[in-house]
Amino acid sequence: VCRLLQFPFLRRDHNCDVSWHAINFHDQADIYGGQVNKYPGAVEAFQKVNLFRWLEFMKSLFPEEYDFFPRTWLLPQQFSEFASEVRTMQEKKCKHKPVFIVKPSEGSQGEGIYLLRDPQHYTGGNGRSHVVQEYLSSVLLLERFKFDLRIYVILKCLDPLEFHICKEGLARFSTIPYEQPNNKNLAETFMHLTNYSLNKKSSDFKISDKEEEGSKRKLTAVLGQLSRLGHDTELLWTRVEQLVAKTLIALVGELKVEMQAAVPAGKPGPTCFHILGFDVLIMKNLTPMLLEVNSNPSLSITEEHETATGGVEYLISAKDEDVKRKLVRDTLILVAPKNKYTRKSNSKKDLQGRVTNDRLPSVFLKAGDRAVESIVMAAEQDEDGGEVTGPPRPLPFDLSLLDSSDEEEEEEESCLKEIFPAVYGELYEEQRIVERLADIFIACLGVKGCLRLGPTMFRLFARKCRLNRKGITNAAIDILYIDMQRRWEYMNPDRTSGLGFLGFVSACYEIARRRFYAPTKQEMLKSLVEFCQANIKL
């Protein structure tokens, strides 16, 4: 068992080991060390428009590897392309007419999602950005219901890159038996959408403590059911791991840029880790398809129950509790300083539940989230019951409270599995090209803590990389900068000056296409990256 102590104050010379934030990295200011449970920029990086923009870019380089998400258009910017593609698809004679699903980029919990067949039915929605995707109709069903999987992933470190997958998760079911979409059922959200926050409002939503029943089930229970039906669940899980690995490889470059801006090199600051929620849909052929990545997955262990008087009360969900307690416990153990924890303890507790063995290694926690505060908050008192004066000491919190049993047990195997670099590091080394471009981008930023390249720094990039040796003039660099700034203006809602990382990557691709000839797009960009790295001496 790992023992957690609340750290009630922040000073440069007294850093806690873990700061737990509710929403994002900037929930608390003036953190000088330790670890924060959110990466800076992660909320924006995993928004749907940005996520699928990066995945589409990676698909252009590695088409056979990045085939695990639906065809995607970013609206309203790509509306003309979307409408043209729909006309082409409708002209083809096929059994089922194409259907598309529209999702707000910043939406969550099923809010604002709808299905359409005609692009003219796209409503736009007060200037909000949307992704529209080809609706996946050939999905795997269980007991006639559509379902998706919530996969938990811990991004432990960006440099060197390391992330772990949780071997347990949740399956969320729709509440109306599934049928192929048609004009009559197109608006049946309880049939076509699997979002828990939406389906819990259905009168057909089923709550059950039985492992293989209910509208929400544990991941391993569903995999067991599928296995007994003859499906190769080991193959399915391997594909899920690969999907996770390739998705994070596509996004890690942007996260590195955001990290250097929030914690510039040479300045005191924390490191980070992050719990992510991958929503995955399974097709009939056992191909997992990525729906979205939630940067703030719910860690709540309660669910709504209707009372006899028609009201609502919140009770502990046994399934959520079993999954999420172990997830949080093993995540904290994973990131805790190695000289401060042990997975097993022979210590005893006093009547107040406090650990009496002072020799037990401890981890200091600063709780910025109310949910965590409710667990660890306590007032320190002296032996007479009065409040202690002077600098406060950390208060003890036994992480065994995150376990469902009060009895001492044998050491339990972690629910987390390292999949990068342990499993897929060598296999996907070639795909880490965006991460290498991030290193070049950061090296060319004129000011530490900056997120965008101005025209002068873009010229400096060309000079540092000696692109003139490839026949690229300063005038060509200036024109390219202006073109890329205009192209990616919609990804810069704050209208800040300069070229962001996505625009920089697109500019590099254009330079590679013009001057670094190779049989494939991947090889062209790789040649440019190697040329730049050699000249910058990264």
Side-chain angles (χ1 to χ4, degrees):
V1 175
C2 180
R3 183 187 179 200
L4 235 64
L5 306 178
Q6 185 196 6
F7 203 76
F9 63 98
L10 286 175
R11 280 174 25 195
R12 284 181 181 270
D13 56 340
H14 286 84
N15 291 312
C16 58
D17 295 306
V18 177
S19 294
W20 193 274
H21 291 189
I23 304 298
N24 61 45
F25 175 83
H26 298 287
D27 281 359
Q28 296 182 78
D30 302 324
I31 298 176
Y32 305 109
Q35 298 195 69
V36 177
N37 70 315
K38 304 290 182 185
Y39 270 100
V43 173
E44 295 77 16
F46 289 104
Q47 285 176 356
K48 297 179 187 69
V49 164
N50 196 68
L51 169 66
F52 287 102
R53 178 70 269 174
W54 279 115
L55 292 179
E56 287 286 355
F57 175 76
M58 293 297 287
K59 187 174 183 177
S60 71
L61 300 179
F62 306 96
E64 294 182 0
E65 293 290 346
Y66 282 81
D67 60 349
F68 54 82
F69 59 97
R71 296 179 67 184
T72 303
W73 296 266
L74 312 179
L75 301 186
Q77 293 76 24
Q78 294 181 317
F79 181 82
S80 298
E81 300 160 55
F82 169 57
S84 175
E85 186 65 26
V86 172
R87 284 194 298 271
T88 302
M89 295 170 71
Q90 290 175 340
E91 289 170 0
K92 297 178 181 178
K93 294 182 180 180
C94 53
K95 186 176 180 180
H96 299 290
K97 292 184 178 180
V99 176
F100 304 90
I101 184 167
V102 182
K103 307 174 185 178
S105 177
E106 300 174 17
S108 61
Q109 301 182 342
E111 176 262 334
I113 299 178
Y114 59 96
L115 274 60
L116 57 77
R117 278 201 163 116
D118 187 345
Q120 301 306 318
H121 292 162
Y122 170 62
T123 59
N126 300 322
R128 298 175 73 181
S129 295
H130 295 77
V131 295
V132 59
Q133 297 177 313
E134 192 169 1
Y135 181 79
L136 302 172
S137 57
S138 299
V139 295
L140 184 66
L141 305 179
L142 191 56
E143 300 163 5
R144 297 176 56 215
F145 290 95
K146 184 177 178 181
F147 66 95
D148 74 358
L149 304 178
R150 164 57 62 86
I151 310 295
Y152 295 101
V153 177
I154 290 77
L155 180 55
K156 183 175 183 272
C157 186
L158 291 180
D159 193 9
L161 182 59
E162 180 182 336
F163 48 86
H164 300 240
I165 195 168
C166 184
K167 292 177 281 189
E168 186 60 279
L170 294 169
R172 294 89 57 88
F173 286 74
S174 61
T175 46
I176 294 179
Y178 180 76
E179 297 175 2
Q180 288 284 338
N182 56 52
N183 291 334
K184 292 182 179 180
N185 67 28
L186 212 59
E188 285 283 7
T189 54
F190 295 145
M191 174 190 294
H192 296 297
L193 303 183
T194 53
N195 305 68
Y196 165 74
S197 299
L198 197 147
N199 276 282
K200 70 180 182 181
K201 302 172 185 175
S202 169
S203 58
D204 295 312
F205 187 83
K206 294 180 175 61
I207 297 175
S208 174
D209 287 335
K210 294 183 178 179
E211 291 282 305
E212 298 181 357
E213 294 181 9
S215 298
K216 182 192 286 187
R217 307 177 194 179
K218 289 166 60 176
L219 168 69
T220 50
V222 168
L223 292 180
Q225 289 179 278
L226 295 177
S227 180
R228 290 193 293 275
L229 290 171
H231 297 291
D232 188 345
T233 53
E234 288 189 10
L235 173 63
L236 170 60
W237 188 248
T238 297
R239 290 173 173 174
V240 168
E241 290 181 349
Q242 293 171 344
L243 176 154
V244 166
K246 287 181 276 193
T247 300
L248 287 180
I249 284 171
L251 270 293
V252 71
E254 180 165 344
L255 292 176
K256 288 180 76 170
V257 172
E258 293 282 352
M259 187 68 186
Q260 66 79 34
V263 187
K267 291 188 177 181
T271 56
C272 300
F273 65 98
H274 206 118
I275 299 177
L276 300 165
F278 281 65
D279 292 342
V280 176
L281 195 65
I282 310 301
M283 308 304 290
K284 286 182 179 178
N285 62 358
L286 287 193
T287 298
M289 300 293 280
L290 179 68
L291 299 179
E292 64 177 294
V293 180
N294 195 321
S295 62
N296 286 311
S298 171
L299 297 178
S300 170
I301 60 173
T302 61
E303 60 187 2
E304 295 180 5
H305 288 253
E306 187 174 350
T307 64
T309 58
V312 174
E313 62 178 347
Y314 292 86
L315 302 177
I316 297 292
S317 161
K319 294 172 184 176
D320 282 287
E321 182 180 33
D322 190 44
V323 173
K324 295 172 184 177
R325 281 186 185 275
K326 292 175 182 177
L327 169 68
V328 173
R329 177 199 66 193
D330 289 341
T331 298
L332 290 173
I333 290 173
L334 176 70
V335 303
K338 299 308 176 190
N339 63 332
K340 287 191 174 184
Y341 82 90
T342 175
R343 289 194 64 90
K344 194 172 179 181
S345 170
N346 293 320
S347 60
K348 298 180 180 179
K349 300 177 185 178
D350 60 19
L351 294 176
Q352 285 75 40
R354 295 195 173 193
V355 179
T356 58
N357 182 0
D358 289 334
R359 293 174 296 174
L360 182 66
S362 302
V363 178
F364 297 120
L365 172 71
K366 174 64 178 177
D369 186 349
R370 290 180 181 274
V372 178
E373 285 180 335
S374 65
I375 299 175
V376 303
M377 284 294 288
E380 187 173 11
Q381 297 178 336
D382 62 17
E383 294 180 355
D384 297 324
E387 207 163 316
V388 174
T389 58
R393 291 184 288 114
L395 303 179
F397 168 65
D398 189 346
L399 193 58
S400 63
L401 293 177
L402 289 175
D403 204 347
S404 57
S405 171
D406 291 331
E407 297 180 3
E408 191 173 319
E409 298 178 352
E410 290 298 318
E411 180 177 349
E412 186 177 350
E413 180 185 355
S414 173
C415 69
L416 305 179
K417 172 189 175 183
E418 181 184 327
I419 60 172
F420 198 97
V423 180
Y424 299 106
E426 292 184 12
L427 182 62
Y428 295 139
E429 184 62 32
E430 287 291 318
Q431 277 90 321
R432 299 179 69 180
I433 195 163
V434 173
E435 188 178 352
R436 296 164 70 187
L437 283 167
D439 293 334
I440 296 171
F441 181 80
I442 292 168
C444 294
L445 288 171
V447 180
K448 287 185 178 180
C450 184
L451 283 170
R452 310 182 76 80
L453 280 178
T456 302
M457 300 316 299
F458 192 66
R459 269 196 179 192
L460 179 64
F461 149 72
R463 190 159 61 249
K464 278 187 172 184
C465 294
R466 301 184 181 180
L467 295 180
N468 61 323
R469 293 184 176 182
K470 290 290 184 176
I472 301 175
T473 64
N474 283 340
I477 287 294
D478 292 342
I479 293 170
L480 179 61
Y481 177 85
I482 294 169
D483 288 345
M484 290 299 154
Q485 200 171 25
R486 287 174 178 168
R487 180 187 299 183
W488 296 106
E489 188 177 11
Y490 76 93
M491 296 293 284
N492 181 23
D494 297 331
R495 297 294 185 266
T496 50
S497 62
L499 194 64
F501 180 55
L502 184 54
F504 172 78
V505 171
S506 296
C508 289
Y509 173 76
E510 185 62 25
I511 292 170
R513 187 186 66 81
R514 294 177 188 178
R515 297 294 177 179
F516 291 80
Y517 307 111
T520 66
K521 296 176 181 179
Q522 168 202 342
E523 291 173 313
M524 284 190 302
L525 192 56
K526 181 182 177 182
S527 296
L528 168 66
V529 169
E530 291 175 347
F531 184 81
C532 291
Q533 285 182 320
N535 286 304
I536 297 177
K537 296 181 173 58
L538 286 177

